[in-house]
Amino acid sequence: MVLDGGIVLEGGGMRGFYTAGVLDYFIKRDTYFRDCFGVSAGATQGCNYLSGQRKRGIKIVLKYMKEKQYASAIAKLITGDFYERKFHTDTVPNLLIPYDYEAALNSPMNFYAVVTDCDTGKAVYRKSNDVNANMDWIWASGALPFFTKIVEIDGGHYLDGGLADSIPVKKASELNKKNVVVLTRDAEYRKKPSKKTVALMKGVYRKYPNLVEAVKDRPEVYNETLDYIKEQEEAGNLFVIRPKEPVTIGRLEKDEDAIKALYKEGVLDAKDCYDKMIEFFNK
């Protein structure tokens, strides 16, 4: 079943395993959307949704997250990336836990990986159903500043999509009257400004003033987006799925039990709201 609307997947590092749980339940129910927008970890989990590979995301993290190639200071020292790029974009999908590129290409959904253009400070929404051909864009969507090298694609410079558009619900609304938003924070969360982060950005990314400005403005933009989501939800244009309680696991969490629990929470929340979501689209 393909619902007549879009789905927006927020990022958040390991908080993305809440999203993985939600999407795996949708795969189980053979439920997809016309358009899917994934940001950072949301793009990663969105790839598994696109190919219909249920439990692939949780399987990868539980099996490999303690390997130095998955995420470590050693990988950063050797390759320049805290998350070793070749391991994540080649070794895992092509050798260890194969990715179904053909299924993704033939998916009924339009899949967009959201990245931040370092030169302009603006978001780019890259259609990426051909995951193999667009692997650089998908990688860039989750390329965290400080942890990951700037990703160069066709002369452009890109980093994590969440820097410019953490929750691309307005972009989704341009294409669809009704959308589902999967958030990785609870309803009370609001992003706070960080002078330290802005100062570090100015030092490390001084060649990219528009990127620095985007990071400076990010808390305000993020919170305004949350207000927009609330307004649109009340107006009947959005269906929101989010954790009921604050998510306490860290961006680099390696506690298996904590990750499993968050994933299960996503599955159960999707199950609990599924009928209401279908009703939302049928109105």
Side-chain angles (χ1 to χ4, degrees):
M1 172 171 56
V2 181
L3 297 174
D4 186 20
I7 185 168
V8 175
L9 311 174
E10 184 183 12
M14 289 300 192
R15 295 197 312 275
F17 284 96
Y18 175 83
T19 303
V22 171
L23 298 180
D24 277 353
Y25 184 77
F26 289 167
I27 293 174
K28 181 179 180 180
R29 296 296 298 266
D30 191 30
T31 302
Y32 298 89
F33 300 80
R34 185 170 57 228
D35 298 301
C36 177
F37 290 84
V39 182
S40 195
T44 301
Q45 302 304 336
C47 284
N48 297 319
Y49 184 41
L50 184 69
S51 63
Q53 289 177 274
R54 184 167 167 256
K55 295 187 177 181
R56 182 175 181 272
I58 192 72
K59 183 186 295 185
I60 291 171
V61 72
L62 294 179
K63 191 168 185 178
Y64 297 111
M65 68 178 175
K66 294 183 181 178
E67 299 292 329
K68 65 179 183 296
Q69 298 98 323
Y70 188 93
S72 70
I74 294 175
K76 179 75 164 67
L77 181 64
I78 295 173
T79 70
D81 291 321
F82 191 80
Y83 301 87
E84 188 178 301
R85 182 170 177 174
K86 180 176 174 57
F87 179 75
H88 287 277
T89 64
D90 183 10
T91 305
V92 171
N94 295 324
L95 297 175
L96 300 179
I97 302 181
Y99 184 76
D100 194 337
Y101 296 100
E102 184 175 356
L105 191 59
N106 293 322
S107 170
M109 294 193 301
N110 298 308
F111 177 65
Y112 300 89
V114 184
V115 303
T116 297
D117 186 323
C118 298
D119 297 301
T120 66
K122 303 295 184 181
V124 175
Y125 310 91
R126 174 73 179 193
K127 191 170 185 293
S128 301
N129 286 64
D130 189 339
V131 171
N132 191 41
N134 289 280
M135 188 63 79
D136 288 347
W137 291 96
I138 295 165
W139 175 256
S141 183
L144 293 170
F146 311 121
F147 287 89
T148 311
K149 292 183 293 187
I150 287 176
V151 182
E152 296 189 22
I153 307 173
D154 299 331
H157 307 89
Y158 305 95
L159 280 174
D160 192 304
L163 302 177
D165 195 355
S166 298
I167 314 170
V169 63
K170 292 182 180 179
K171 184 64 177 180
S173 297
E174 292 175 7
L175 302 179
N176 300 284
K177 291 182 178 180
K178 291 188 176 182
N179 293 281
V180 171
V181 184
V182 182
L183 302 177
T184 58
R185 296 285 194 180
D186 66 284
E188 300 302 316
Y189 177 80
R190 290 295 183 274
K191 191 172 289 295
K192 298 178 181 178
S194 172
K195 292 182 179 180
K196 182 179 179 180
T197 298
V198 174
L200 286 171
M201 289 293 298
K202 287 180 178 178
V204 177
Y205 299 102
R206 56 186 177 278
K207 293 183 179 179
Y208 303 97
N210 291 324
L211 174 66
V212 174
E213 195 66 21
V215 172
K216 180 182 177 182
D217 294 341
R218 188 186 180 202
E220 181 179 355
V221 172
Y222 185 91
N223 294 335
E224 286 178 352
T225 302
L226 291 180
D227 292 338
Y228 174 81
I229 288 172
K230 183 178 180 181
E231 291 171 2
Q232 292 301 303
E233 183 180 22
E234 292 174 350
N237 299 322
L238 286 180
F239 190 91
V240 181
I241 304 173
R242 67 191 345 149
K244 295 180 179 65
E245 302 293 335
V247 177
T248 58
I249 70 170
R251 179 176 287 276
L252 306 176
E253 186 68 61
K254 292 193 176 184
D255 183 324
E256 290 187 13
D257 291 336
I259 293 170
K260 287 179 182 177
L262 184 61
Y263 171 82
K264 184 177 180 180
E265 183 180 347
V267 172
L268 293 176
D269 283 355
K271 181 179 180 180
D272 289 345
C273 74
Y274 184 82
D275 290 341
K276 290 183 179 179
M277 183 184 77
I278 298 301
E279 183 181 333
F280 165 77
F281 278 98
N282 288 335
K283 288 181 179 179

